Amino acid sequence: MNELVLETHGLRIAVRSNSAMLLEQLRNRTASVAAQSSGTPQLSYTIEERRGESGLSYAIRCGTGRMQRSTTPREALDAVLRRMQLHVAEEAPDHIFVHAGVVSWEGKAILLPGRTFSGKTSLVVALLRQGAAYYSDEYAVLDRCGKVHPYARPLQVRVAGGSRLWTAHMLGAEVGSGPLDVALVVFAKYHLTSCWQARPVSPGNALLRLLANTVCARKRPHEALACLRLVAVEAPAYVAMRGDSGDAVKPILDLLARDSKVGRKL
Amino acid sequence: MKPIAIKKGITIEELPGEIIAYDLGSHRAHCLNRSAVEIWRCCDGTMTVEEIASRLHQQIGLPKDPELVRLGLEQLKAARLLEVESVEPAADPPPSRRAMSRRHSLAAMAIPVVTSIAVPTAAMAQSRRGGTHPPQPPHPPNPPRPPRPHH
């Protein structure tokens, strides 16, 4: 078995596989969010490639327990990555992970919290096309001071029948490099026929909505509340209905301009 | 009856004019606006609804209306932030927030409001991939552009 140990956000995770190609792909997929490590891992996954009568299959285990079986290497890799991400998002000792798309505009971070299929990635893509810098399409990684750090994994763009991975550079965008203050939070909900409508929400309401998207909220409520409070008190927050993601970019940047006086008209 | 707030097992995060009350047992979180906070703070088992109404009138200038307090108490009870036995069961449901707002010509923000969520587990909060069609498939990437000047 080959082994790859990855270190990210204070955690070390080993992935073992009899397929060197799979580990190489894993290393490439995680290069932007995790470094290779030689330390002792706290958690391990195994991906075993098996050749059977019906072709190749992949058995995935977490520790010694069985997790699932996949029929393609991509599926196996996605499954392991998903679980690794969740583990890190829940256990990272010094950070709070909130499900959110994040971009920066002129040095100010915009958070777009939302669950699966809320259209986070398409909104992030639309903002990147207009010149925003990429931070994440999945997690706002907040430190104890409430600053947001890059989690610049490849964007997972859903297309009919599956998803594609795009880098920010493929969209002509830069990747953010350092922690930023959060300047705006927009809880945008997609609806096919909606036009842009936004209303401000109070800091308490914003905190409650952020908490609903926080991975470690149940496990570490005190830390989560203290961290989210900083964001909720400092950054104006809005609840919005939106249609096409391209049409939402200007109103979002207008909100940023209005609230922080640093935005610029498109 | 003299309402009693439940504070055991509740962690509080204070914000300007609001609080978040997190129930560590049920993993429900509640946002109390200012009026609801003041009512909850008065629920120490020593004050009647009428006395709480007087206190709110003195402290934050709310109309001295026990119905306004009952509206807050009902929401606090539903959020399990009050000892159920300490709150008199209402003969009639309290007036709606809108009705209360009209009755006293109050801004909506002055009416006690408790907003609640069930805090998700990590797995519930986790994003999934694939499955159904996307809400909105974006266009393919543009060709790379020259880098923007750094701000």
Side-chain angles (χ1 to χ4, degrees):
Chain A
M1 283 271 178
N2 305 293
E3 183 182 80
L4 172 67
V5 180
L6 297 167
E7 184 162 2
T8 179
H9 297 91
L11 299 168
R12 279 189 298 273
I13 301 168
V15 183
R16 302 183 183 105
S17 179
N18 55 350
S19 164
M21 183 199 72
L22 263 181
L23 290 185
E24 181 61 20
Q25 286 179 5
L26 183 72
R27 197 177 63 79
N28 290 337
R29 289 273 297 270
T30 55
S32 56
V33 292
Q36 268 189 265
S37 167
S38 54
T40 309
Q42 293 119 332
L43 182 72
S44 68
Y45 293 92
T46 309
I47 311 174
E48 190 184 346
E49 188 179 78
R50 293 172 177 171
R51 192 174 295 276
E53 285 178 7
S54 53
L56 288 174
S57 67
Y58 299 85
I60 303 161
R61 284 189 209 89
C62 176
T64 53
R66 187 160 197 162
M67 227 159 69
Q68 68 180 75
R69 184 181 290 272
S70 302
T71 51
T72 66
R74 167 78 190 265
E75 206 178 276
L77 216 52
D78 284 348
V80 169
L81 279 168
R82 225 171 19 243
R83 287 192 163 62
M84 279 172 61
Q85 272 183 180
L86 180 61
H87 176 76
V88 171
E90 193 174 17
E91 304 289 344
D94 298 319
H95 294 91
I96 299 295
F97 282 59
V98 180
H99 270 292
V102 186
V103 299
S104 84
W105 185 264
E106 300 188 343
K108 301 277 182 183
I110 304 171
L111 256 60
L112 307 162
R115 297 265 185 94
T116 310
F117 299 117
S118 61
K120 295 191 301 282
T121 301
S122 58
L123 206 45
V124 167
V125 167
L127 283 156
L128 297 185
R129 286 183 197 283
Q130 294 298 335
Y134 179 55
Y135 268 65
S136 181
D137 74 334
E138 181 70 355
Y139 291 126
V141 180
L142 300 166
D143 63 24
R144 290 175 195 275
C145 303
K147 288 181 185 290
V148 63
H149 293 247
Y151 189 83
R153 66 170 203 174
L155 291 107
Q156 293 199 336
V157 180
R158 293 198 175 92
V159 292
S163 68
R164 290 199 183 136
L165 298 175
W166 291 353
T167 64
H169 294 295
M170 288 166 74
L171 295 159
E174 290 174 28
V175 175
S177 55
L180 290 179
D181 289 322
V182 178
L184 178 68
V185 184
V186 182
F187 301 94
K189 198 169 180 184
Y190 170 79
H191 191 272
L192 183 67
T193 56
S194 284
C195 293
W196 175 265
Q197 279 182 305
R199 64 178 172 86
V201 291
S202 70
N205 197 297
L207 198 159
L208 210 59
R209 289 167 185 273
L210 286 167
L211 196 64
N213 288 289
T214 299
V215 182
C216 71
R218 281 196 181 207
K219 202 159 194 176
R220 293 184 284 144
H222 296 95
E223 287 170 60
L225 285 170
C227 173
L228 298 178
R229 181 190 184 281
L230 296 170
V231 175
V233 168
E234 291 300 322
Y238 294 83
V239 171
M241 287 295 291
R242 70 169 182 89
D244 185 88
S245 56
D247 295 341
V249 171
K250 187 175 181 299
I252 288 174
L253 295 179
D254 283 347
L255 289 177
L256 183 70
R258 195 171 72 192
D259 287 313
S260 66
K261 312 285 184 207
V262 298
R264 66 177 188 201
K265 296 276 180 189
L266 287 175
Chain B
M1 294 187 86
K2 297 173 178 176
I4 302 171
I6 295 176
K7 302 221 166 138
K8 194 177 174 188
I10 308 282
T11 189
I12 300 293
E13 195 65 45
E14 301 222 13
L15 295 110
E18 295 172 291
I19 63 165
I20 300 291
Y22 187 111
D23 186 329
L24 297 165
S26 67
H27 291 290
R28 290 185 66 80
H30 315 280
C31 176
L32 280 60
N33 74 351
R34 190 173 178 202
S35 306
V37 171
E38 295 303 333
I39 292 172
W40 196 49
R41 284 187 175 142
C42 288
C43 295
D44 57 1
T46 66
M47 279 192 263
T48 62
V49 170
E50 287 73 20
E51 286 166 339
I52 294 174
S54 295
R55 174 72 70 87
L56 290 182
H57 179 64
Q58 288 163 7
Q59 282 189 338
I60 55 173
L62 280 186
K64 204 188 290 183
D65 182 354
E67 288 294 296
L68 202 58
V69 176
R70 285 199 184 92
L71 179 63
L73 291 176
E74 280 301 314
Q75 294 177 74
L76 291 165
K77 192 169 82 174
R80 297 181 187 174
L81 293 172
L82 289 182
E83 301 279 359
V84 178
E85 303 80 30
S86 70
V87 186
E88 203 168 359
D92 300 308
S96 68
R97 291 201 291 257
R98 183 172 293 181
M100 198 56 84
S101 179
R102 276 205 212 105
R103 185 192 293 179
H104 296 293
S105 303
L106 280 174
M109 284 161 63
I111 305 293
V113 177
V114 179
T115 312
S116 304
I117 61 158
V119 177
T121 62
M124 280 160 66
Q126 171 71 341
S127 207
R128 291 176 293 117
R129 279 191 53 246
T132 61
H133 287 293
Q136 185 187 356
H139 309 293
N142 293 329
R145 296 177 318 177
R148 297 174 69 227
H150 183 70
H151 295 280

